């Protein structure tokens, strides 16, 4: 049985918490896309953690944590993260790394920085983790899979070839120092030492695990609107954020994914540039940002303040649809308890017409939010354990959202901790 946990919005919906919680009943947790450019924040008995590459199952000794072939694997970042977790008393997790996963090379990070610098104000707001240069190289077929570390002769000659083209760009476009293939080779030998004990044929491992009746969780990074095909292109990430991609990025048959739990946040937040129709500004945004998440809405990787907005039914209905949502986990609802009135974006006005269907980027730039205002519940809902105990206006908010997005809300997260969850 395979379940996917994915985001409906711009990321930061609280997927890490839901994965950490559902990992308790899972044998295997798999990261299938993305890299160390975003993070999951998890609060549990060991403390508060920001994970960037490790799957959110690492806190349980019975789960195997897998880095799938679809991930942009930054080996030193992964092992620093592993150390930072075990240094804080978490038992060393079971970890597997796909032999087909490709590695973020030191120059991917450099090219990411240089390109943002070159673009200046026209940049993408990249986290400069090397993700876009990494995926560009993967599809240009000049990337490096983990398995290539084990053929030193072939590796060395490929490095020389790749450096040749990279160095033309470095010299003539960016005016930066060239790459040295020998130095890169030594760096990669260091990576090999680190990763060797964990490398495996992940697709085969998962195939066997499923035959034995094991449960697998696919953990998505970012959300639908950052998908390169279905998101707000070009202000997207470079790998697919959709549950469907879980099949490819982990190496599973698509029909095995039976349950797609889409995480939806009770208000909106986004990082990076791009259209954000229900965005709010000034004091109103500052207050929501300050109160949001667990200790404010600031990037888990970058510390950047997130852009804030009201709940967007148009974007979320679409985000849930493209994921193939079977159920919704509705998160950070507790944060809205301070508001007398809660605006919700129920439509987009584009050239004088109102639509509830999420448009392509060009039209999205022109969209103005159509807001409806619901009554707040004006109290702290943390600690509440059942749906019936939630204040009436809070239930009305949930039911309003559920109707607008057309997917069942089965879980309500009313605090950052593992146990802050209401099953409906
Ligand atoms: P992810 O990338 O989707 O895992 O999202 P983040 O790591 O950015 O999580 C969002 C933030 O919200 C984190 O700081 C979580 O600890 C916090 N969080 C998750 N669920 C809840 C919740 O229900 N209430 C509150 N107040 N915070 C939450």
């Amino acid at each position: 049985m395979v379940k996917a946990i994915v985001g409906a919005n711009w990321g930061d919906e609280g997927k890490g918490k839901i994965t950490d919680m559902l990992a308790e009943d899972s044998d295997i947790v798999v990261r299938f896309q993305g890299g160390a450019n975003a993070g999951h924040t998890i609060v549990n008995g060991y403390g508060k953690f920001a994970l960037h590459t490790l799957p959110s199952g690492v806190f349980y000794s019975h789960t195997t944590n897998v880095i799938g072939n679809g991930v942009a694997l930054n080996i030193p970042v992964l092992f620093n993260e592993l150390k930072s977790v075990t240094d804080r008393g978490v038992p060393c997790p079971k970890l597997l790394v796909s032999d087909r996963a490709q590695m973020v090379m030191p120059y991917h990070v450099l090219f990411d920085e240089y390109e943002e610098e070159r673009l200046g104000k026209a940049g993408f707001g990249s986290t400069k983790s090397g993700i876009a240069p990494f995926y560009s190289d993967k599809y240009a077929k000049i990337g490096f899979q983990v398995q290539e570390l084990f053929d030193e002769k072939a590796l060395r000659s490929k490095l020389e070839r790749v450096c040749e083209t990279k160095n033309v760009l470095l010299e003539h476009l960016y005016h930066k120092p060239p790459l040295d293939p020998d130095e890169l080779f030594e760096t990669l030998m260091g990576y090999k030492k680190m990763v060797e004990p964990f490398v495996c044929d992940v697709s085969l491992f998962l195939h066997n695990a499923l035959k034995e009746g094991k449960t697998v969780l696919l953990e998505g990074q970012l959300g639908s609107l950052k998908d390169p095909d279905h998101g707000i292109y070009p202000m997207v990430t470079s790998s697919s954020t959709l549950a469907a991609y879980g099949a490819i990025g982990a190496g599973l048959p698509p029909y095995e994914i039976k349950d797609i739990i889409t995480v939806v946040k009770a208000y909106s937040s986004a990082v990076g540039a791009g259209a954000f129709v229900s965005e709010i500004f000034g004091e109103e945004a500052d207050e929501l940002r300050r109160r949001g998440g667990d200790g404010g809405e600031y990037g888990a990787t970058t510390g950047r303040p997130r852009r804030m907005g009201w709940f967007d039914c148009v974007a979320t209905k679409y985000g849930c649809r493209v994921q193939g949502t079977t159920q919704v986990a509705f998160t950070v609802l507790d944060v809205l308890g301070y508001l007398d009135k809660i605006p919700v974006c129920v439509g987009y006005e584009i050239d004088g017409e109102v639509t509830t269907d999420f448009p392509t980027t060009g039209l999205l730039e022109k969209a103005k939010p159509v807001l409806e205002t619901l009554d707040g519940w004006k109290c702290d809902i943390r600690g509440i354990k059942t749906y019936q105990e939630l204040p009436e206006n809070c239930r009305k908010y949930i039911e309003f959202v559920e109707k607008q997005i057309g997917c069942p809300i089965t879980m309500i997260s009313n605090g950052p901790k593992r146990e802050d969850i209401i099953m409906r």
Side-chain angles (χ1 to χ4, degrees):
M1 162 74 169
V2 183
K3 288 184 194 189
I5 298 175
V6 287
N9 306 119
W10 299 264
D12 307 316
E13 297 94 349
K15 296 175 295 293
K17 173 193 156 160
I18 302 296
T19 310
D20 171 64
M21 191 190 90
L22 295 182
E24 185 163 16
D25 300 317
S26 309
D27 301 301
I28 299 161
V29 180
V30 190
R31 279 284 312 268
F32 61 90
Q33 45 86 224
N37 53 331
H40 297 297
T41 312
I42 295 170
V43 188
N44 57 31
Y46 295 106
K48 181 171 174 174
F49 296 86
L51 299 183
H52 305 287
T53 302
L54 283 174
S56 299
V58 290
F59 302 101
Y60 296 100
S61 53
H62 67 272
T63 53
T64 301
N65 297 277
V66 177
I67 308 287
N69 56 275
V71 170
L73 173 62
N74 187 319
I75 290 181
V77 168
L78 170 69
F79 288 97
N80 278 336
E81 196 170 301
L82 189 61
K83 184 168 180 301
S84 74
V85 168
T86 52
D87 278 353
R88 288 175 58 193
V90 179
C92 191
K94 276 186 236 152
L95 180 69
L96 296 175
V97 175
S98 167
D99 50 5
R100 291 174 184 271
Q102 295 204 9
M103 296 174 284
V104 175
M105 304 288 275
Y107 54 78
H108 289 141
V109 179
L110 293 176
F111 274 93
D112 208 348
E113 279 170 20
Y114 298 162
E115 183 62 6
E116 281 288 306
E117 194 180 305
R118 190 181 74 85
L119 291 173
K121 278 203 165 62
F124 291 87
S126 164
T127 60
K128 301 181 184 120
S129 317
I131 303 303
F134 166 91
Y135 282 107
S136 308
D137 279 2
K138 175 171 175 176
Y139 294 108
K141 295 170 285 188
I142 52 168
F144 290 85
Q145 290 187 331
V146 165
Q147 52 90 9
E148 289 177 76
L149 294 172
F150 300 94
D151 183 344
E152 294 182 17
K153 193 155 160 259
L155 180 66
R156 198 180 269 277
S157 76
K158 182 168 163 186
L159 275 172
E160 267 160 32
R161 261 184 296 133
V162 170
C163 284
E164 231 171 81
T165 60
K166 298 285 172 208
N167 282 343
V168 174
L169 285 175
L170 285 171
E171 189 182 340
H172 297 289
L173 182 63
Y174 298 115
H175 313 292
K176 300 285 182 188
L179 302 172
D180 173 5
D182 292 328
E183 194 185 315
L184 276 170
F185 181 80
E186 288 314 313
T187 305
L188 291 186
M189 287 302 102
Y191 289 4
K192 179 182 162 188
K193 232 187 232 146
M194 288 186 247
V195 79
E196 196 163 12
F198 306 96
V199 177
C200 97
D201 180 342
V202 161
S203 176
L204 181 62
F205 169 80
L206 292 175
H207 173 82
N208 290 331
L210 288 173
K211 262 205 314 213
E212 288 165 25
K214 297 259 164 49
T215 51
V216 178
L217 272 189
L218 299 173
E219 178 180 29
Q221 181 214 36
L222 295 167
S224 303
L225 305 175
K226 293 282 186 181
D227 184 75
D229 285 273
H230 297 281
I232 52 172
Y233 189 85
M235 298 304 178
V236 294
T237 193
S238 304
S239 66
S240 176
T241 55
L242 302 184
Y245 191 74
I248 296 160
L252 288 165
Y255 56 75
E256 293 285 0
I257 308 173
K258 303 284 190 231
D259 197 2
I260 298 171
I261 300 164
T262 302
V263 184
V264 168
K265 188 145 106 171
Y267 53 88
S268 302
S269 73
V271 287
F276 182 4
V277 178
S278 67
E279 185 167 12
I280 54 174
F281 303 92
E283 180 44 41
E284 200 176 35
D286 289 343
E287 176 150 39
L288 184 56
R289 184 180 302 111
R290 235 183 359 258
R291 292 172 175 270
D294 178 30
E297 290 283 358
Y298 302 92
T301 301
T302 56
R304 291 189 291 194
R306 292 177 180 150
R307 297 164 68 192
M308 307 303 298
W310 301 125
F311 186 80
D312 185 335
C313 298
V314 179
T316 310
K317 179 177 75 166
Y318 174 78
C320 286
R321 171 162 67 80
V322 293
Q323 290 291 5
T325 305
T326 54
Q327 44 178 331
V328 165
F330 197 50
T331 59
V332 288
L333 188 58
D334 51 302
V335 163
L336 298 182
Y338 73 97
L339 290 160
D340 293 314
K341 297 276 179 194
I342 313 178
V344 176
C345 175
V346 294
Y348 290 175
E349 191 192 313
I350 302 170
D351 296 332
E353 297 219 11
V354 174
T355 180
T356 61
D357 291 322
F358 193 77
T360 50
T361 311
L363 293 173
L364 188 66
E365 303 281 356
K366 296 202 263 179
K368 294 191 182 60
V370 177
L371 298 175
E372 210 170 302
T373 303
L374 305 191
D375 290 325
W377 46 91
K378 298 293 290 175
C379 68
D380 186 2
I381 59 164
R382 284 201 197 180
I384 291 179
K385 296 285 174 206
T386 65
Y387 190 68
Q388 293 321 317
E389 284 170 87
L390 285 171
E392 189 185 356
N393 284 346
C394 183
R395 278 182 279 136
K396 280 191 178 155
Y397 187 80
I398 296 166
E399 286 158 29
F400 181 86
V401 164
E402 185 172 53
K403 191 150 171 252
Q404 295 279 330
I405 64 176
C407 292
I409 296 176
T410 56
M411 288 173 237
I412 293 136
S413 174
N414 59 338
K417 298 210 186 83
R418 224 179 231 179
E419 59 277 15
D420 297 327
I421 194 83
I422 297 167
M423 297 292 185
R424 198 168 160 214

